Amino acid sequence: MKIYTKSGDKGETSLVAGVRVPKFADRVEAYGTCDEANSQIGLALSLLPATDAWQELQDVFHIIQTKLFHVGAELATPEGKKVGWPIKEEDVTFLEEQIDKLDAGLPPLTNFILPGGHPAAAAFHVARTVVRRAERKAVHVAQQEQVNPAVVKYLNRLSDYLFVVARHVNKETGGVEKTLHE
C-alpha cells in the first residue's frame, strides 16, 4: 500500500464508505483534531521518565489512544453508515474510573492551575486543550448530523483525565504546579 494516493490533491478527502468531502468539512476538522490530540498524547508519553513506575499509566494510555482513534473513525463515518468500532458508555466509565483513581492521590484543588511543571505534564496540558477543541468540533458536527452521544462524552472525560494526569505527573516528578497569581 502506497503512502500517497494523490486522491486528495484537489482539496477533497474520503470519509468512511468513500463519501468525498472538502478537506475543510466539519467532520474532517473533527476527526483531524482527534488525530492531533492523539499525536500530542504520544508526545506527552514520550516525555515521561524512562522508568517502570510509569508502565501502568502507559498501559492505560494505550487503551485511550486506541479509543481516540475509534472516536476519529466515528467522526469520519457519515450519517447512515455503520461504525466499525463504536464508542460506548463503558468507555466513558473507564475514563471516570481512571480519573477517580489518580485524583484520590492528589492534593485538593483550591485555585486554578497554570499549565506547566514537568515537560510531560506541560505536554499533557497541551493534549487536554487539543481534546477540548476536538470536543467543540464534535459538538458542532452533532448539531448538524447524527453523532453518537458517547463520542462527545468521551472527549469531555478525556480532557478531564488529561488534566488529572498532568497534575499526577507533576506530583510524582516534583514538577511545580503553579496557581494563578492573585
Side-chain angles (χ1 to χ4, degrees), residues 5 41 45 49 67 110 124 136 146 176 180:
T5 63
I41 290 169
L45 289 168
K67 293 295 181 180
T110 58
F124 281 118
R136 291 190 302 271
Q146 182 66 34
V176 178
L180 292 177

Side-chain angles (χ1 to χ4, degrees), residues 110-131:
T110 58
N111 205 336
F112 287 103
I113 294 171
L114 298 172
H118 186 276
F124 281 118
H125 276 297
V126 174
R128 171 185 57 81
T129 65
V130 175
V131 169

Side-chain angles (χ1 to χ4, degrees), residues 15 29 40 43-44 47 74 82 91 98 105 125 130 138 140 143-144 146 162-163 174:
L15 298 178
E29 286 286 334
Q40 184 60 49
L43 175 63
L47 296 172
E74 284 218 41
K82 184 170 171 58
D91 300 319
Q98 297 307 310
H125 276 297
V130 175
H140 183 75
Q143 295 284 319
Q144 303 165 19
Q146 182 66 34
L162 290 164
F163 176 77

Side-chain angles (χ1 to χ4, degrees), residues 2 11 40 53 73 129 145 156 173:
K2 283 189 169 193
Q40 184 60 49
T129 65
E145 301 178 54
N156 183 274
T173 61

Side-chain angles (χ1 to χ4, degrees), residues 7 21 34 48 55 62 73 77 91 93 101 128 132 144 146 153 159 166-167 173 175 177 179:
S7 65
V21 296
C34 289
L48 287 171
Q55 189 58 53
H62 186 262
T77 302
D91 300 319
T93 301
K101 183 177 176 181
R128 171 185 57 81
R132 284 280 190 218
Q144 303 165 19
Q146 182 66 34
K153 284 184 187 179
S159 63
R167 294 194 70 215
T173 61
E177 193 170 77
T179 57

Side-chain angles (χ1 to χ4, degrees), residues 84-105:
W85 308 293
I87 297 299
K88 300 175 182 157
E89 286 297 324
E90 302 91 77
D91 300 319
V92 176
T93 301
F94 173 78
L95 285 176
E96 291 170 348
E97 291 166 353
Q98 297 307 310
I99 292 167
D100 293 343
K101 183 177 176 181
L102 285 184
D103 196 43

Side-chain angles (χ1 to χ4, degrees), residues 6-13 20-24:
K6 300 182 184 182
S7 65
D9 290 353
K10 293 184 178 167
E12 288 188 342
T13 191
R20 300 291 291 172
V21 296
K23 288 189 176 186
F24 59 82

